[in-house]
Amino acid sequence: MTAAVLSGRELAAAIRAETTELAAKLAAQGRPVRLAVVSATDDGASAWYVRSIAGAAAKCGLVCDVVDLGPQATTTEVHDTLRRLSDDPQVHGVILQTPLPAGAALEDLASAIAPEKDVDGANPLSLGRLAAGLPAFAPATAEAVVRLLEHHEVELSGRHAVVVGRSTVVGKPAAHLLLDRDATVTVCHSRTADLASVTRTADVLVAAVGRAGLLTADHVREGAVVIDVGTNPTPDGGLAGDVDPAAAERAGGLTPVPGGVGPVTTALLLRHTVQAAEG
Ligand code: NAP
């Protein structure tokens, strides 16, 4: 079997089209939608990502302010900036870019983002509400996982979903969103014993680890749907997923990297920002 390619580009384009239309309506009412991205790093990959968000925002008619505090910023400066933006009625969405300055914890700093502007679900309150089944912005990447599965009409109810990775930005929220869709969910991590024996029981396998090619064909059940969240830089300047491309010979469907989860994530960040602006 060769896996169907579960592209994210078509879904991302549809989300961007909807976002553009809604943003234009708000702008026509004198309420331009504004996203603020706070960065405190000189990491090259992060700078590339911020530029791609800003570019996508502009194309959808959103104003995107990049607040670059530089790698020497103190946690107090980052915290105060997030609070100021959260208090600014002209700003509808606030994102805190990683990596953070040494010694700063994302969960601590993200608490300074007002939950109603927390369009990337970084504030622990957002994750708590998500876990409790209450309305909240989910981290865009985690939501992209389930939106992609729905877009490609993958049945989730009653199926076994295995998520590899338990970060607060991807693994845990993805597990909650899958649970909300009535999947039976198992979450694996670095201490999981005999990972392959667990992942081979998955109907739907989500890889969110950050290790290129960690999941091989041996980790995949014949016909399983595999969502590859990993974005690992390659020496030639490209991106590799967490799933070895050879796994496509066993999977029923596999998301490409790039072109799978990534574009949907960016589109959802903008969609969330418009939703925040609508109030
Ligand atoms: P993270 O915070 O580093 O978390 C990685 C998770 O993988 C941890 O839970 C870790 O387990 C687990 N893990 C590490 N080694 C493992 C192993 N050998 N076997 C099983 N589990 C293992 O990473 P993240 O922020 O969740 O990101 C994961 C990947 O997604 C990265 O490649 C990142 O670049 C990518 N990403 C993509 C997007 C996108 O838009 N496409 C957005 C965000 C992130 P422990 O908890 O036990 O340490």
Side-chain angles (χ1 to χ4, degrees):
M1 173 182 286
T2 298
V5 179
L6 306 179
S7 170
R9 296 202 191 279
E10 186 186 274
L11 172 60
I15 296 168
R16 284 197 304 269
E18 182 188 46
T19 302
T20 303
E21 193 182 322
L22 294 169
K25 275 190 192 146
L26 288 166
Q29 294 163 14
R31 295 159 61 204
V33 180
R34 188 176 288 268
L35 171 68
V37 182
V38 177
S39 168
T41 175
D42 56 5
D43 178 75
S46 170
W48 179 88
Y49 184 57
V50 170
R51 277 198 303 276
S52 79
I53 294 174
K59 281 190 192 145
C60 290
L62 277 71
V63 182
C64 180
D65 298 326
V66 177
V67 184
D68 187 358
L69 300 173
Q72 307 303 331
T74 63
T75 51
T76 308
E77 279 169 322
V78 178
H79 180 276
D80 291 352
T81 302
L82 294 171
R83 280 247 70 91
R84 175 177 61 74
L85 293 164
S86 290
D87 289 342
D88 183 342
Q90 307 295 321
V91 173
H92 305 104
V94 180
I95 301 173
L96 174 58
Q97 190 54 29
T98 56
L100 296 170
L106 176 65
E107 288 79 8
D108 289 342
L109 282 173
S111 300
I113 304 174
E116 65 276 14
K117 298 186 182 184
D118 183 26
V119 292
D120 201 16
N123 186 326
L125 279 178
S126 300
L127 182 59
R129 289 183 64 87
L130 199 69
L134 297 169
F137 287 118
T141 307
E143 188 176 334
V145 169
V146 291
R147 292 288 298 268
L148 261 171
L149 288 164
E150 288 169 347
H151 174 75
H152 289 287
E153 298 181 346
V154 177
E155 180 67 41
L156 290 173
S157 179
R159 312 286 298 285
H160 186 202
V162 175
V163 180
V164 188
R166 57 174 164 180
S167 72
T168 51
V169 285
V170 192
K172 281 180 186 154
H176 287 301
L177 292 169
L178 289 161
L179 202 51
D180 283 348
R181 283 153 181 83
D182 298 322
T184 302
V185 181
T186 301
V187 181
C188 300
H189 45 78
S190 66
R191 305 293 178 88
T192 297
D194 194 0
L195 182 66
S197 73
V198 182
T199 58
R200 273 199 304 267
T201 65
D203 300 307
V204 173
L205 178 59
V206 179
V209 179
R211 304 245 192 300
L214 177 85
L215 299 184
T216 64
D218 192 41
H219 291 80
V220 177
R221 173 150 100 186
E222 188 81 35
V225 171
V226 183
I227 305 291
D228 191 351
V229 181
T231 49
N232 307 292
T234 57
D236 62 359
L239 279 183
D242 288 344
V243 180
D244 184 336
E249 277 152 41
R250 302 204 61 182
L254 173 63
T255 57
V257 177
V261 173
V264 181
T265 298
T266 308
L268 284 171
L269 274 177
L270 305 178
R271 181 68 189 86
H272 287 177
T273 307
V274 168
Q275 195 182 328
E278 288 172 327

